Amino acid sequence: MLLFERSWMSRWKSSVLHEGEGNIRSVKWRGHLIAWANNMGVKIFDITSKQRITNVPRDDISLRPDMYPCSLCWKDSVTLIIGWGPSVKICSVKERHASEMRDLPSRYVEIVSQFETEFYISGLAPLCDQLVVLSYVKEVSEKTEREYCARPRLDIIQPLSETCEEISSDALTVRGFQENECRDYHLEYSEGESLFYIVSPRDVVVAKERDQDDHIDWLLEKKKYEEALMAAEISQKNIKRHKILDIGLAYINHLVEKGEYDIAARKCQKILGKNAALWEYEVYKFKEIGQLKAISPYLPRGDPVLKPLIYEMILHEFLESDYEGFATLIREWPGDLYNNSVIVQAVRDHLKKDSQNRTLLKTLAELYTYDKNYGNALEIYLTLRHKDVFQLIHKHNLFSSIKDKIVLLMDFDSEKAVDMLLDNEDKISIKKVVEELEDRPELQHVYLHKLFKRDHHKGQRYHEKQISLYAEFDRPNLLPFLRDSIHCPLEKALEICQQRNFVEETVYLLSRMGNSRSALKMIMEELHDVDKAIDFAKEQDDGELWEDLILYSIDKPPFITGLLNNIGTHVDPILLIHRIKEGMEIPNLRDSLVKILQDYNLQILLREGCKKILVADSLSLLKKMHRTQMKGILVDEENICESCLSPILPSDAAKPFSMVVFHCRHMFHKECLPMTSMNSPVQFCNICSAKHRGPGSAILEMKK
């Protein structure tokens, strides 16, 4: 191995780097390092230090080095890749630490990766972190069982520490490959252009790294449109020959051809984006194949907006075959996407054939609402008894439109209708509602009853009418109404209740009109309820009623028992007991008498208890008053005589003075008080009234 160097005077100087190990089969020079291979192995020489730093021996010495030459390539200035036979080694040149130098070279080589391949290596080239390997392949014939030369392979492999991973593999067709040997193939590469040259005796094949356009071409060729679209989106800055939109359109056409219309329509959203012209083109394509329904859920509704004709065309398609789908689109699509009047007319035409179709009627009402034709919409909602009718009225203030539809509203939902009417009394008067419900008294009653519950006075002009309505439709609430109403004509109410034989209501009216005796008589004769009669007598608290009750009950033992059990605290029981005929058999008389005695004892105990409490309270208050009156009273310069209005204390404190202070805190000079009479020597405050004289008006005299 000779190295020629240019010396002084431009002369060539030669030096022997190595000799004695046979022919040099391959040489690769990179930077300050030279690698060459001979029959024994691979040597690396450092030009800088003029030292050979390593020898990598040949692994398989059975292979002839002239038939299976060594392949060398530098990945970078310190990484050498060696391929010999089926073996690959990746060597890294590293700097030796100064403490380890001694007589050793300043650099050393470490094999960082070593693995075997299935074929014989004819050439190597780096490709980023991977390797491009040109392999010589021998295969065994199944018929003759003899080896023969197969096509060479160009593989991309990912080297690992002790093995490798195959990334791709391609068999190359070159002329005369059946006659070629491993030494006949060579692999060269151009680093800057990523070009690889496969040289054989008859052909030179140029290979280059695939770009994303090539990958997309392959995917499209295999009809993997979704993967091609995804690859184009990921590498849209790097692709040059393809456009995402073109790939997307091809993908849509492919799906349509396969009959996957729904998927194709869904992909339109992503692929067509905001291109209105392409959207319209695709819609017409779907129309030609009768699949407008498939694309309808994915049409743009805001940005962009297509021509109204497009939306109308789809609505007509649904209207012909799918009322529910048509209704769904009307609900979901904004009303300004299409010509509302055209669709309204189309729905009307269909209703001529099926006038009771609820779906079409409801959809027509929604179309009227979009068109602000609220009157027609309300009429349809009421006919359908739709739950949104009240919301529609409130939202669009349609109270003027419902004045002649009150009966329909009440038939639909009387509770909601009444609440709405009462809440908006300023828009629909009570008089108007009552007039509209004149032919439906049961609904009229519901309205007036709710009105009365809210305000007892607003509907006072209808209280007379309400008596009949309660009697006819709501008997349980008649008596509460009679009790709470102060505008109800009692004579009219009594007449109606007597006609219908409403005893409880008649009794109440009689008592309210002052005819308590007739009311009590009715309770006794009609209801035969002694407890109710006693409660009535207690409520009226009238001695004559108790007398009437006793007279009526005197010949009726069960009534006498009831009276004995209940009147003890209201009437002297002796009045009843004296009137009982001798020999009359009264049920539970003993228990009744015992109860009377117990009630009497209870009254006595209550009175005694009350007396004790009163005495104790009186004594306590008297003591408190006495303590209060015994307390001193402050008199100073600010106090005045209540008679002469001059200061109560003299200006000269040394002079004698006399004053009177009452317990009511009024003060007088003694000379300002009138003289006491002989009949009543006790003095009283002139200010406090003599009518209210009491312990607090006593006198407290002060002298000095």
Side-chain angles (χ1 to χ4, degrees), residues 25-149:
R25 304 292 180 183
S26 178
V27 178
K28 294 292 181 181
W29 191 338
R30 180 74 173 258
H32 299 290
L33 299 174
I34 303 173
W36 70 87
N38 55 27
N39 293 344
M40 304 302 295
V42 177
K43 279 72 175 173
I44 300 177
F45 186 84
D46 187 353
I47 297 294
T48 305
S49 62
K50 304 295 184 180
Q51 290 179 312
R52 191 176 66 185
I53 59 178
T54 192
N55 173 47
V56 181
R58 180 159 60 103
D59 290 337
D60 191 351
I61 59 175
S62 63
L63 295 176
R64 288 174 54 185
D66 59 331
M67 297 296 292
Y68 299 93
C70 177
S71 298
L72 300 175
C73 72
W74 287 97
K75 180 181 178 181
D76 51 47
S77 58
V78 294
T79 305
L80 176 66
I81 304 172
I82 304 171
W84 206 334
S87 175
V88 176
K89 294 178 182 178
I90 300 177
C91 305
S92 178
V93 179
K94 298 184 177 182
E95 298 289 339
R96 197 184 300 275
H97 195 271
S99 61
E100 300 176 352
M101 288 238 187
R102 300 175 186 172
D103 297 330
L104 299 175
S106 60
R107 295 182 178 183
Y108 69 97
V109 174
E110 179 182 341
I111 298 176
V112 296
S113 178
Q114 180 175 350
F115 54 87
E116 300 286 329
T117 65
E118 297 180 358
F119 312 112
Y120 300 107
I121 296 170
S122 296
L124 289 172
L127 180 64
C128 297
D129 292 334
Q130 300 168 345
L131 290 179
V132 178
V133 180
L134 177 62
S135 302
Y136 171 69
V137 181
K138 279 191 174 184
E139 294 182 353
V140 178
S141 173
E142 294 180 358
K143 296 180 180 179
T144 61
E145 297 184 357
R146 294 177 61 186
E147 281 190 344
Y148 66 95
C149 296

Side-chain angles (χ1 to χ4, degrees), residues 231-240 244:
E233 290 172 348
I234 294 172
S235 306
Q236 55 183 327
K237 293 183 179 180
N238 298 324
I239 57 176
K240 299 176 181 178
I244 295 176

Side-chain angles (χ1 to χ4, degrees), residues 487-502:
H487 308 288
C488 175
L490 299 180
E491 295 82 0
K492 178 67 174 177
L494 181 61
E495 179 185 348
I496 292 174
C497 292
Q498 286 176 338
Q499 287 175 356
R500 295 177 178 268
N501 197 27
F502 291 170

Side-chain angles (χ1 to χ4, degrees), residues 17 31 52 143 169 172 205 249 254 333 368 419 427 448 457-458 470 478 535 567 570 572 604 607 613 652 659 682:
L17 299 182
R52 191 176 66 185
K143 296 180 180 179
S169 179
L172 305 177
V205 178
L249 292 174
H254 173 68
W333 285 359
Y368 279 139
D419 287 338
K427 299 168 185 171
L448 290 174
H457 308 289
K458 274 189 177 180
Y470 276 110
L478 175 57
D535 290 339
I567 69 172
H570 297 272
D572 189 353
I604 296 299
R607 288 180 181 180
I613 293 171
D652 187 0
M659 60 182 293
V682 180

Side-chain angles (χ1 to χ4, degrees), residues 264-283:
R266 189 164 60 248
K267 292 297 180 183
C268 286
Q269 279 187 312
K270 179 180 179 181
I271 294 167
L272 304 182
K274 298 181 180 181
N275 193 322
L278 282 177
W279 267 109
E280 292 172 5
Y281 175 75
E282 288 298 326
V283 170

Side-chain angles (χ1 to χ4, degrees), residues 232-405:
E233 290 172 348
I234 294 172
S235 306
Q236 55 183 327
K237 293 183 179 180
N238 298 324
I239 57 176
K240 299 176 181 178
R241 292 185 288 105
H242 293 93
K243 294 181 180 179
I244 295 176
L245 181 59
D246 293 338
I247 298 172
L249 292 174
Y251 185 24
I252 293 173
N253 291 334
H254 173 68
L255 291 171
V256 170
E257 290 173 3
K258 289 175 62 178
E260 296 178 0
Y261 306 113
D262 185 72
I263 300 176
R266 189 164 60 248
K267 292 297 180 183
C268 286
Q269 279 187 312
K270 179 180 179 181
I271 294 167
L272 304 182
K274 298 181 180 181
N275 193 322
L278 282 177
W279 267 109
E280 292 172 5
Y281 175 75
E282 288 298 326
V283 170
Y284 281 110
K285 280 178 60 178
F286 275 78
K287 177 178 172 57
E288 290 175 3
I289 59 176
Q291 291 296 328
L292 279 176
K293 289 183 180 180
I295 201 172
S296 62
Y298 310 106
L299 282 183
R301 304 171 189 179
D303 185 17
V305 175
L306 309 183
K307 294 177 182 177
L309 181 62
I310 298 295
Y311 301 100
E312 292 167 16
M313 182 170 63
I314 293 175
L315 288 172
H316 280 293
E317 179 77 14
F318 274 92
L319 193 55
E320 291 297 330
S321 58
D322 184 1
Y323 288 161
E324 291 295 336
F326 173 76
T328 300
L329 289 182
I330 293 297
R331 282 194 302 271
E332 293 179 352
W333 285 359
D336 55 356
L337 291 180
Y338 47 86
N339 190 330
N340 199 62
S341 59
V342 172
I343 304 303
V344 167
Q345 187 58 48
V347 175
R348 282 178 172 174
D349 293 340
H350 278 265
L351 280 171
K352 291 176 183 178
K353 306 171 188 175
D354 188 2
S355 60
Q356 300 303 315
N357 189 288
R358 293 182 63 85
T359 301
L360 285 181
L361 286 171
K362 182 180 175 184
T363 308
L364 182 59
E366 292 176 0
L367 289 168
Y368 279 139
T369 304
Y370 293 147
D371 209 22
K372 298 185 179 180
N373 191 346
Y374 301 119
N376 288 344
L378 181 61
E379 188 171 348
I380 294 175
Y381 278 134
L382 286 172
T383 304
L384 296 174
R385 304 172 71 87
H386 193 271
K387 61 181 178 63
D388 292 339
V389 65
F390 296 102
Q391 181 182 352
L392 181 71
I393 294 170
H394 280 290
K395 183 177 181 180
H396 301 291
N397 197 20
L398 303 181
F399 296 99
S400 59
S401 302
I402 65 170
K403 290 182 178 179
D404 58 344
K405 298 179 177 64

